Amino acid sequence: MELGQIGTAMVTPFSEEGSIDRDLLEKLIEHLIGSGTDSLIVCGTTGESPTLNHAEKAVLFASAIEIVNGRIPVIAGTGTFNTAETIKLTKTAESLGADGIMLVTPYYNKPDQKGMYAHFSHIAKETELPLLLYNIPGRSAVNMLPETVIALSKLKNIRAVKEASGSLDQMAEIITKTDSGFKVYSGDDALTLPLLSIGGEGVISVASHVVGNEMQQMINAFKSGNTKEAAKIHRILLPLFHAVFSAPNPIPIKYALQKIGIETGGVRLPLMSNGEGAAEFDQVWDAFQKQMKLEH
């Protein structure tokens, strides 16, 4: 699975009526491809996947694949708490030409480790596409332990994990005990550099919607051995990483995109955008821009 260094967990652009807006989607994708995104993750949490039905997800997959036209990988978020439904949606994404699949840990029904292994292994048998596991205990209410990820990594098409547990110890154990072809990505922008320092591959990012190029600079500096430069960029970006989660995701990042001239519409209920986090983001964004000007 070639996700590159930065996969962007893409927001879903909505029209004023709340439907998927293809014109805005195309503008967003062109912006992302031109500003540091190596791969697109479509219909993840940032894409408001819980509010999208099967037909809408299929439209979004097909539209993104058509717009991208092979320039970068398109990874379809098909994971749900329903194994049969996840398989159905995964087959839809595969038939539409997705390059890979992202599978979140089942949320709400809280399976144990054996249940999670069975869930993911059943899905893996039903597709030829490479699979990216997604561990996010803060949203799913379950933590997929390293031993489960390690066992799943032995299946031929489970090739990476997006780790959003916040535990570098957990990430380090996975890196140590999986083969070199299995890749660990940070699910938290702020842990990108710390994860790289222990052997991680990169990040599935939200902030890359607006600072993808700067994040690439940080990663490239680290990988070229210029750790001081990487650390400096990390410190400059850190307040911004926190600001994009100052309100429920993706409210702040949609506001941030609007601020740089990329319109993606509002959010769907039960999320509501009432301007929360806007003042904090404005302050952080202005400070970031000033700091970058000083650096150049």
Side-chain angles (χ1 to χ4, degrees):
M1 177 175 283
E2 296 302 324
L3 299 177
Q5 299 179 153
I6 298 175
T8 296
M10 189 180 70
V11 303
T12 299
F14 294 124
S15 67
E16 290 184 7
E17 295 76 29
S19 60
I20 296 169
D21 191 311
R22 194 188 187 286
D23 290 340
L24 294 182
L25 177 66
E26 184 167 4
K27 291 174 183 175
L28 172 62
I29 289 174
E30 294 303 331
H31 160 72
L32 293 174
I33 292 176
S35 59
T37 291
D38 295 320
S39 56
L40 283 182
I41 288 69
V42 182
C43 290
T45 309
T46 307
E48 299 179 70
S49 58
T51 74
L52 298 168
N53 60 38
H54 187 110
E56 288 177 317
K57 289 178 181 179
V59 167
L60 198 51
F61 295 154
S63 298
I65 291 163
E66 182 182 15
I67 292 164
V68 169
N69 194 26
R71 288 176 288 172
I72 61 174
V74 175
I75 309 303
T78 64
T80 72
F81 52 31
N82 180 326
T83 306
E85 176 62 23
T86 301
I87 290 170
K88 181 180 177 182
L89 188 57
T90 297
K91 288 184 175 181
T92 296
E94 185 170 18
S95 71
L96 291 170
D99 297 293
I101 299 295
M102 184 177 75
L103 299 172
V104 69
T105 46
Y107 42 91
Y108 192 71
N109 44 14
K110 297 179 69 174
D112 61 15
Q113 300 300 310
K114 289 182 179 179
M116 280 186 269
Y117 181 88
H119 171 78
F120 290 121
S121 60
H122 270 73
I123 299 162
K125 293 174 185 176
E126 297 291 336
T127 180
E128 294 298 317
L129 290 177
L131 305 180
L132 166 70
L133 304 176
Y134 179 17
N135 185 39
I136 183 163
R139 286 186 179 272
S140 64
V142 288
N143 180 28
M144 185 159 52
L145 297 176
E147 54 260 37
T148 305
V149 177
I150 294 160
L152 286 165
S153 76
K154 300 183 188 304
L155 303 180
K156 67 175 184 177
N157 55 339
I158 296 182
R159 301 316 310 143
V161 63
K162 175 185 176 183
E163 248 294 335
S165 65
S167 171
L168 285 171
D169 289 352
Q170 185 157 305
M171 298 176 206
E173 184 175 351
I174 293 168
I175 293 166
T176 300
K177 296 180 180 179
T178 54
D179 66 46
S180 59
F182 188 82
K183 297 175 181 178
V184 178
Y185 285 84
S186 174
D188 299 298
D189 287 303
L191 289 181
T192 305
L193 186 58
L195 177 60
L196 290 172
S197 74
I198 61 169
E201 187 70 20
V203 61
I204 307 299
S205 174
V206 174
S208 57
H209 281 90
V210 293
V211 289
N213 286 328
E214 291 81 2
M215 293 178 72
Q216 287 284 9
Q217 290 170 17
M218 177 183 72
I219 295 171
N220 289 333
F222 177 83
K223 290 188 173 181
S224 66
N226 193 347
T227 55
K228 287 187 177 181
E229 178 66 15
K232 182 172 71 173
I233 298 171
H234 168 81
R235 292 192 299 271
I236 292 171
L237 289 171
L238 195 57
L240 190 64
F241 291 157
H242 293 311
V244 297
F245 288 96
S246 58
N249 185 36
I251 294 169
I253 199 62
K254 282 197 163 185
Y255 174 78
L257 282 162
Q258 184 181 50
K259 194 171 179 67
I260 64 168
I262 307 296
E263 183 58 59
T264 57
V267 291
R268 283 181 169 179
L269 288 172
L271 297 181
M272 290 183 68
S273 181
N274 296 315
E276 64 267 45
E280 178 182 344
F281 184 85
D282 285 344
Q283 184 178 9
V284 170
W285 183 253
D286 291 344
F288 164 74
Q289 289 188 310
K290 289 177 183 176
Q291 184 65 39
M292 293 305 293
K293 285 179 182 178
L294 288 174
E295 295 300 325
H296 293 89

